[in-house]
Amino acid sequence: MLSTEIKTTLLKIPFKEEGVAIYQSEKQFVTKTTITDYNTVAIENFDNDLSKANNSEFYSAYMVGEPLKAGKKYNITYRFVPNPLKKQEAVMVISEAVEIDSINSFEITEEVKQEIDVIRGDTSMPIQERLEFLFEQDLARVREYNNFDLWLLTTMTFHSSLRINYNGKPLRGYLDAIAIGETRSGKSVMANNHVKKYRLGKIINADGSTTQALLGGKVETSEGQRIRYGTLSREHEGLVILEEIKDIASQLLLKIRSVRSSQMLKIDRVAGSLEMVLYVRMLMLSNPRVLEGNTIDMRNNFNNGLEVLSSIVPAQEDQTRFDCIFLVDNPKNLTRKSPDPFTYQYADLIPDEYFADALRAI
């Protein structure tokens, strides 16, 4: 128990000040953390270049009670209070943190069950026919790209489970996929449509990004070196779509081999390595790498699909870690019959929130 004299010294109050009563509250568990505003434009800059991160984008804070978890998103209640140990410098104290849009904390209500029944439809319908129906619903959103296989790959990536319990041990359950295709073959449009529909995932343009910005690393601040989590780290238990990875694929895949094999991210620092568990669904999108002056035409520039993949991912140990490798053909080469684009009027479409709630329920 601190003496009254010590308390008044810490609080910068004269020892014999009249009309002041000091009470010592019960002890609470407090942790120091670093937070950032997820919705600020500055974060987009940070995604492309870690060196652009500055003190204004990241805040040191003290969390009262249960500590915050790395990579999670919260709505917080906080206030700034003077720190008597640092010349009354204002410090953020968080009194309440509510996790937002968490798949793990999602509650299945009767309303959600009804939404799932709408998506499930007639249970006697063959699975292939039901998939065709759901695909044609999406054609109303992306009419120009009638590619069922690309839609199925993206849909399976979004719906894959993070973990599967096998013999009492958690194993990775999500898909590690890559789609390689020519320009304007629908890769990005399909990915954007799914992110919007399911309210899940973050699309990152890797062109011009650094592996440090994607994974995290050391940053010099006024308080010394700090570890800044990268985009993948912040999307723990979420989903990341990496576009235009052909110029960074080899370097990035080398850095995240441990993530793809054991779901552990390792960040090197002066005081030793920092390791964190990282479960994140990843879908990589890229154009094939062709010789300068050649057109991006997979049929004319490559003999087989393995050559296409090797142009982006040359290391065999990285190639074998993919669960699904999909080559996206030019839309003009697709032989699939396109349904009438006006088959489904907007009012007939299943609402996006039904798909988002069903995904979280799964």
Side-chain angles (χ1 to χ4, degrees), residues 273-285:
S273 298
L274 175 67
E275 292 187 345
M276 65 172 292
V277 177
L278 181 59
Y279 282 81
V280 57
R281 304 171 183 87
M282 279 191 290
L283 174 60
M284 301 184 184
L285 308 176

Side-chain angles (χ1 to χ4, degrees), residues 6 24 33 78 97 105 123 126 137 141 180-181 206 214 237 283 295 315:
I6 294 177
Q24 183 168 336
T33 185
Y78 66 92
S105 61
T123 56
Q137 285 259 320
R141 301 174 174 88
I180 307 173
L214 293 171
E237 296 189 346
L283 174 60
T295 59

Side-chain angles (χ1 to χ4, degrees), residues 83-146:
N83 186 344
L85 301 179
K86 288 191 175 183
K87 300 180 180 180
Q88 302 299 101
E89 177 184 321
V91 62
M92 180 186 293
V93 176
I94 303 173
S95 58
E96 183 182 13
V98 179
E99 191 173 346
I100 58 175
D101 197 26
S102 171
I103 294 179
N104 294 332
S105 61
F106 182 78
E107 295 183 2
I108 301 178
T109 63
E110 289 300 322
E111 182 180 358
V112 172
K113 291 179 181 179
Q114 295 175 6
E115 294 173 355
I116 294 175
D117 288 338
V118 172
I119 296 176
R120 183 185 293 121
D122 185 1
T123 56
S124 63
M125 181 184 296
I127 293 178
Q128 182 64 31
E129 290 186 17
R130 191 61 189 174
L131 287 174
E132 295 271 355
F133 167 78
L134 294 175
F135 168 63
E136 292 178 5
Q137 285 259 320
D138 266 2
L139 281 183
R141 301 174 174 88
V142 286
R143 297 181 190 277
E144 64 270 37
Y145 298 109
N146 182 24

